[in-house]
Amino acid sequence: MDIILVAGLWMGGWAWYEVSPALEAAGHRPVPVTLPGMGSVDADRSTISLADHVAAVVEAIDAAPGEQVVLVGHSAGAGIVYAAADARPERVARLILVGGFPTPDGSPLLNGYEPVGAELPLPDWGEFDDADLRDLGEGGMAAFRAYAVPSPAGVVTGIQQLHDERRFDIPVTAVATEYSVSDLRGWIAAGAPPVQEFTRLRDVTFVDLPTGHWPMLTRPQQLARVIVAQPPIGDGTIEPDVDVISARAFHASEGVEDWRVLYGGAHAFFRAESLGHGARLVAEVVAIAEEQGHFPDLDVRPEGVFVKTFSRRDGALSAADAELAAAVSRAARRLDLEPDPSVLTVLGIAVVQSPDARVRPFWTAALGYDPLGADDAVDPLRRSPHLWFQTMDPPKSGRGRTHIDVSVPRDLVDSRVAAALAAGGRLADDSHVPKWWTLASPDNHGVDLAAWSDDSDEAR
């Protein structure tokens, strides 16, 4: 879904430089808008009005390919996106107002600012409250001032013009930043004029994001998680912060020698003498998971038990995974289950598409999968291979292609490649070795044997 991003005073589309990649990684299309007059300090702002800024957001809505968009408005941008939603209520799935309020009809966009001629420059920092500046720091202040552009006086003093009461039916999320949700609710109950439009909205969700007035600069990842959690993008659940670690850092942890980092997380297999023998390890793992509050995937077979641990849906790891892995290995040794990393293999399917074809919606519908990030799709219960979608460039008309990705441990990849070549395969591309080997079967089907995930130093 298109997520149209509108920053407040003194900011352009640049303000979302860390939020936008996070939204894209979650599978959405961020559209940061630089409003008229905000592209350069040298721009002529003398004739720019509030209506011009609203029209720019409406234009972005009209340009969106989908049926609906999500509008995100920060600070003064909250009033601007509210007016754009009034102009296109049928196209707006949700409004997310970050540190700002919906400006009612007939009211000025802002109060308390005095423009200098045709524009309002960024004031000295001393004119802001400490709460506004929380988490910004000296470096953030310096960067903000370097990129800041004066806002047009005609926007700051402009009078809001609204016409369509269907705007009251649009779901709204109000994100409290330098103030709290409790503060905002109190102001609404007390009849404070700037927030009374909230009383006319039929569906409002309040979310705390404790930081200063510019969370896209001070807490961009947290802000992105709040955005993607809001329906209809998400289910309302905001993912917690996770301090992720790399595969190399995981392997450097004590007691994880039995484990390998493959697609989807860290994996281990413990051989059992019987199904009952394996079930005893399962009971131990359940007790460990309950104690640590960190829950792995388990697959018990008569031959043994597969365990996978991860901290995010994309398989990213944290210190909690290393702690759980070490505890599971200790339990397996107590129960005389032997680790066997040689059987660890995780499959993925790469689907190639032409630049003008977006095939993920078809595959997710056909398989019952969920989108993951910008390019992947996953089984919501993590049973079946994940899919990722690769654009064919240059395009080949009328043709699609798939290949299998095989995620294997680093210490097994050489023997696996040798066995495949001995079985009649050929090395089709070695330009990515030692990350992955591209092999072709005797009938020219492709397989990538990938070892990169097991010793990556990238925390993702």
Side-chain angles (χ1 to χ4, degrees):
M1 179 174 285
D2 277 24
I3 303 175
I4 297 173
L5 305 163
V6 180
L9 300 180
W10 314 299
M11 290 177 148
W14 63 266
W16 308 96
Y17 74 101
E18 286 195 78
V19 174
S20 289
L23 300 181
E24 189 171 15
H28 305 287
R29 180 175 177 261
V31 183
V33 177
T34 296
L35 297 169
M38 300 305 297
S40 167
V41 293
D42 300 322
D44 180 8
R45 284 172 279 277
S46 61
T47 63
I48 295 173
S49 67
L50 175 58
D52 294 324
H53 277 199
V54 173
V57 181
V58 172
E59 182 178 353
I61 296 172
D62 291 342
E67 291 185 4
Q68 289 192 307
V69 302
V70 169
L71 297 182
V72 180
H74 161 254
S75 189
I80 293 170
V81 299
Y82 188 57
D86 175 80
R88 297 289 188 273
E90 72 285 353
R91 296 290 311 280
V92 179
R94 178 171 288 267
L95 282 166
I96 301 176
L97 310 181
V98 181
F101 314 133
T103 307
D105 181 49
S107 296
L109 182 69
L110 292 170
N111 287 305
Y113 288 106
E114 292 295 333
V116 179
E119 56 191 32
L120 177 67
L122 176 63
D124 292 336
W125 295 119
E127 297 188 30
F128 293 96
D129 294 335
D130 289 344
D132 293 326
L133 303 177
R134 177 181 172 185
D135 301 326
L136 194 57
E138 292 186 4
M141 292 180 193
F144 187 178
R145 192 164 294 280
Y147 284 98
V149 172
S151 292
V155 174
V156 176
T157 61
I159 302 300
Q160 185 83 298
Q161 300 291 327
L162 305 176
H163 309 282
D164 196 329
E165 291 193 355
R166 288 182 295 169
R167 68 183 182 276
F168 301 139
D169 295 322
I170 299 172
V172 174
T173 298
V175 182
T177 52
E178 73 273 20
Y179 51 88
S180 68
V181 166
S182 178
D183 292 334
L184 178 54
R185 290 184 185 274
W187 299 333
I188 295 170
V195 295
Q196 287 313 293
E197 192 75 357
F198 279 116
T199 65
R200 309 182 75 185
L201 305 176
R202 297 185 175 94
D203 181 355
V204 183
T205 299
F206 296 93
V207 176
D208 274 312
L209 178 55
T211 186
H213 186 62
W214 297 278
M216 67 278 281
L217 304 183
T218 58
R219 292 289 184 267
Q221 301 303 317
Q222 291 91 327
L223 177 57
R225 284 195 289 274
V226 169
I227 292 171
V228 300
Q230 305 310 305
I233 307 172
D235 62 2
T237 303
I238 301 172
E239 289 192 10
D241 292 345
V242 176
D243 291 328
V244 298
I245 62 174
S246 68
R248 187 167 295 176
F250 174 86
H251 283 306
S253 303
E254 185 176 355
V256 300
E257 296 80 6
D258 305 335
W259 297 74
R260 302 295 184 270
V261 180
L262 308 179
Y263 294 165
H267 303 249
F269 176 72
F270 300 96
R271 286 206 173 272
E273 297 174 357
S274 66
L275 188 63
H277 190 202
R280 290 198 289 276
L281 177 60
V282 171
E284 290 275 349
V285 174
V286 170
I288 291 166
E290 294 285 353
E291 179 181 354
Q292 296 185 0
H294 193 69
F295 301 95
D297 284 347
L298 293 164
D299 181 350
V300 58
R301 306 291 176 93
E303 295 84 359
V305 181
F306 289 94
V307 188
K308 178 177 73 173
T309 181
F310 53 96
S311 290
R312 275 195 332 219
R313 282 204 315 149
D314 61 0
L317 300 171
S318 71
D321 296 295
E323 182 181 357
L324 183 137
V328 170
S329 287
R330 290 194 297 269
R333 288 183 175 85
R334 288 196 302 270
L335 295 170
D336 295 325
L337 279 83
E338 291 294 327
D340 185 1
S342 69
V343 303
L344 295 175
T345 297
V346 177
L347 296 184
I349 300 174
V351 179
V352 178
Q353 59 190 3
S354 65
D356 60 348
R358 292 293 177 264
V359 302
R360 184 167 68 168
F362 165 80
W363 285 101
T364 55
L367 297 176
Y369 275 26
D370 290 336
L372 176 67
D375 301 307
D376 291 23
V378 292
D379 178 349
L381 293 179
R382 304 171 300 283
R383 299 161 298 177
S384 302
H386 82 277
L387 272 67
W388 68 281
F389 299 87
Q390 176 186 12
T391 299
M392 182 185 295
D393 193 11
K396 297 181 180 179
S397 179
R399 180 184 172 194
R401 183 171 61 86
T402 63
H403 70 265
I404 304 297
D405 277 1
V406 186
S407 180
V408 296
R410 169 61 67 190
D411 52 356
L412 296 179
V413 67
D414 289 334
S415 61
R416 190 72 66 89
V417 170
L421 295 177
R426 64 180 176 85
L427 184 60
D429 183 359
D430 63 358
S431 63
H432 300 288
V433 172
K435 291 185 175 180
W436 71 85
W437 287 251
T438 297
L439 308 180
S441 69
D443 57 351
N444 214 35
H445 289 287
V447 175
D448 284 353
L449 289 175
W452 64 266
S453 64
D454 197 27
D455 58 2
S456 172
D457 59 5
E458 178 183 353
R460 55 186 178 84

